[in-house]
Amino acid sequence: MTTGKSSSKEMSSIKVGLLGLGVVGGGTWKVLQKNAEEIARRAGRRIEITAVAVRDVEKARKLLGDADVHITTDGLEIARDPGIDIVVELIGGETTALEWVMEAIRQGKHVVTANKAMLAVHGNQIFDAAGEHGVMVAFEAAVAGGIPIIKAMREGLTANRIEWIAGIINGTTNFILSEMQSRGLPFNTVLAEAQRLGYAEADPTFDIEGVDAAHKLTLLASLAFGIPVQFDKACIEGIAKLEAEDIQHAARLGYRIKLLGITRRRDDGIELRVHPTLIRMGSPLANVEGAMNAVLVHGDVVGPTLYYGQGAGEMPTASAVVADLVDVARLDSADPEHRVPHLAFQPDAVKDIPILSADDIETAHYLRLRVEDRPGVLADISRILADAQISIGSMIQEPVQPSEASIIFLLHRAREGAVREAIRQIQNLPFVRSEVTRLRVEGSI
Ligand code: NDP
Ligand code: HSE
């Protein structure tokens, strides 16, 4: 078809400076080589990496072969290079990455990044600067790897008032939980495998402690509710303390345990929380295994929508980075006023709705404790729960030794503050022989 416009072959290529050539950076390079023609047909012009910043120049040269790419160890050189149109930040971390990204923005360059840690903590500053300098900051790869969830939130769901989001948004922990459950492998063995496969963060405690998922959830909450990025207000609990025993009890009760990120709009504010969660076996999230991610978004008009795909790793994440590059290449010449807003809402319409404190979150709970097996034990525990207005849904008691029993309660929804105080009182009862294990339950997700 002839359009009268210049074809992708005739238009000059858009020049990209890549900061980082590790798992995601290397994948991005490979995808741009592999699908160059197809990508140019979509973008309207070629996307060409002309410079790369790394720490180990020799290693980078081996990957790039004899390609005409400048290699440096100083990302500022790339951020300031007038020949570069887009800076892709894939080094990770919050210090050097932020410095290089801010400089690129000041120099009028568009930025593509997969760095959820940087955006969740410094996003407001970055998006403000981008607005001021009329450039785009694209971050599809920062949440749920290869799943186009940012695109869906910013564009596909704009008719909706988003009610809640629940997601498995950390591949490493989902991989660990899946392998522990299905193959009975020890935690550290599975974590080492996740690191080998390139899923884990440079500091894997970010994965294990739920911090990475909270970074991503913070971004999703901003896109869903039109609020500033507020990672510091997220309630975060990881999987480090999760015991195999609880995974087994949950299964017997008809539940799976998943590390979920949940953000929900309530009349008095917004819940923003990451924690291991019991969800029913039939839930669409219950059977998401390995490094796969899934995000359930509930809009008032569309109802529930589900997004599923590979949440980490070289090629899935590179797929998202390159999609951003195509978007930026297409919109490069558009009037900044007419581009999709960074956080889905027009910057002057972003509202400071309060994020609720941990005590104000409402969920159902699973409690497990070991007690002396004697009369009055259940009555005393029930009294504490009743006084706190916490209703018991079901209870299982099992002997563990001749004189001890393990008790599991499923409690109905209650304020976390009330549950926390009840647990404190139960813990102090003279017949309680273990720490009280507390997990949240979301029966309707
Ligand atoms: P890697 O550790 O594999 O790669 C990091 C790259 O950045 C390396 O090429 C490294 O160079 C370079 N680098 C780091 N610090 C510097 C520095 N100070 N100066 C110059 N170069 C530097 O990380 P990933 O590719 O896994 O992750 C990159 C980003 O993508 C992170 O923000 C991460 O959170 C995010 N992400 C990762 C996903 C994944 O599955 N891995 C998925 C989604 C997002 P050298 O090799 O020479 O040391
Ligand atoms: N460490 C992250 C994960 C990488 O395991 O999900 C993808 O963001």
Side-chain angles (χ1 to χ4, degrees):
M1 186 173 80
T2 311
T3 62
K5 290 184 180 171
S6 39
S7 74
S8 53
K9 281 187 185 145
E10 291 157 14
M11 270 187 88
S12 68
S13 61
I14 195 153
K15 306 286 192 294
V16 175
L18 195 55
L19 309 177
L21 197 63
V23 174
V24 185
T28 300
W29 167 259
K30 289 178 202 164
V31 172
L32 285 173
Q33 305 310 301
K34 178 175 183 287
N35 291 344
E37 285 300 326
E38 199 74 349
I39 290 166
R41 284 175 62 213
R42 292 181 193 272
R45 56 207 289 202
R46 285 190 166 274
I47 297 175
E48 191 187 348
I49 294 176
T50 57
V52 164
V54 288
R55 283 178 297 218
D56 183 339
V57 173
E58 284 305 308
K59 192 173 79 181
R61 186 38 74 199
K62 267 193 203 139
L63 178 70
L64 298 173
D66 56 6
D68 183 16
V69 176
H70 173 63
I71 306 176
T72 174
T73 56
D74 182 9
L76 285 177
E77 201 188 307
I78 291 180
R80 291 173 182 156
D81 180 343
I84 285 176
D85 305 296
I86 309 173
V87 169
V88 180
E89 184 278 307
L90 299 171
I91 67 170
E94 293 172 40
T95 48
T96 309
L98 180 65
E99 186 195 345
W100 293 355
V101 161
M102 289 302 287
E103 183 59 19
I105 292 172
R106 281 192 290 270
Q107 297 291 327
K109 297 185 196 318
H110 304 298
V111 170
V112 172
T113 180
N115 192 336
K116 53 268 165 154
M118 176 184 72
L119 290 176
V121 178
H122 305 285
N124 300 323
Q125 174 193 351
I126 292 170
F127 297 130
D128 283 353
E132 203 179 304
H133 293 273
V135 298
M136 290 171 268
V137 175
F139 55 100
E140 185 64 70
V143 182
I147 306 174
I149 184 68
I150 306 288
K151 192 86 170 168
M153 299 290 304
R154 292 205 318 176
E155 299 178 45
L157 296 173
T158 45
N160 289 265
R161 187 174 192 271
I162 305 295
E163 307 289 359
W164 54 263
I165 299 175
I168 294 173
I169 46 180
N170 182 266
T172 302
T173 44
N174 202 52
F175 181 73
I176 292 173
L177 291 177
S178 301
E179 294 289 292
M180 282 173 73
Q181 170 136 26
S182 63
R183 296 168 63 199
L185 293 174
F187 186 97
N188 285 332
T189 308
V190 192
L191 172 60
E193 179 66 358
Q195 288 176 298
R196 192 186 65 75
L197 292 167
Y199 304 151
E201 293 305 300
D203 176 356
T205 58
F206 271 36
D207 297 294
I208 306 308
E209 298 296 348
V211 174
D212 176 73
H215 286 148
K216 295 166 180 166
L217 187 70
T218 299
L219 295 171
L220 289 179
S222 291
L223 294 165
F225 307 123
I227 55 173
V229 175
Q230 295 167 80
F231 169 70
D232 56 333
K233 305 223 176 99
C235 304
I236 311 174
E237 193 178 304
I239 63 165
K241 290 193 197 142
L242 199 59
E243 293 185 35
E245 194 181 340
D246 293 309
I247 297 177
Q248 287 150 16
H249 285 308
R252 285 171 45 213
L253 291 162
Y255 291 90
R256 288 292 302 272
I257 301 182
K258 293 287 184 185
L259 184 73
L260 292 195
I262 299 172
T263 185
R264 190 190 301 272
R265 188 200 290 267
R266 287 189 359 204
D267 290 344
D268 49 349
I270 286 166
E271 292 185 357
L272 187 63
R273 51 189 168 101
V274 170
H275 47 72
T277 315
L278 276 77
I279 48 175
R280 290 196 186 282
M281 297 272 190
S283 157
L285 298 181
N287 296 311
V288 174
E289 306 291 2
M292 301 305 274
N293 279 193
V295 186
L296 252 178
V297 182
H298 196 283
D300 66 339
V301 183
V302 70
T305 57
L306 178 65
Y307 309 84
Y308 172 82
Q310 297 199 55
E314 182 187 32
M315 291 315 222
T317 313
S319 164
V321 171
V322 174
D324 273 348
L325 280 169
V326 171
D327 245 6
V328 173
R330 283 170 175 164
L331 294 169
D332 179 37
S333 55
D335 175 355
E337 296 286 315
H338 296 133
R339 292 181 189 142
V340 181
H342 291 116
L343 289 178
F345 289 72
Q346 297 299 335
D348 59 0
V350 169
K351 286 191 194 162
D352 220 345
I353 308 171
I355 304 287
L356 296 168
S357 76
D359 278 354
D360 289 327
I361 288 168
E362 277 185 19
T363 61
H365 282 84
Y366 158 108
L367 303 187
R368 176 175 59 81
L369 63 159
R370 194 181 275 212
V371 293
E372 221 175 292
D373 196 359
R374 64 170 164 82
V377 164
L378 277 180
D380 285 357
I381 296 174
S382 303
R383 194 167 308 113
I384 291 174
L385 293 170
D387 287 350
Q389 302 292 312
I390 300 167
S391 170
I392 300 171
S394 58
M395 201 265 319
I396 301 174
Q397 178 172 339
E398 281 180 345
V400 275
Q401 284 175 26
S403 61
E404 280 187 18
S406 177
I407 309 183
I408 292 158
F409 291 101
L410 285 181
L411 308 177
H412 288 305
R413 284 185 93 78
R415 271 187 66 248
E416 283 231 5
V419 175
R420 201 188 311 273
E421 174 53 22
I423 290 174
R424 193 191 62 76
Q425 291 179 29
I426 292 170
Q427 192 72 71
N428 287 335
L429 291 170
F431 50 74
V432 172
R433 295 278 176 83
S434 70
E435 286 284 310
V436 179
T437 296
R438 184 275 302 256
L439 293 167
R440 281 87 165 185
V441 182
E442 290 286 352
S444 57
I445 280 178

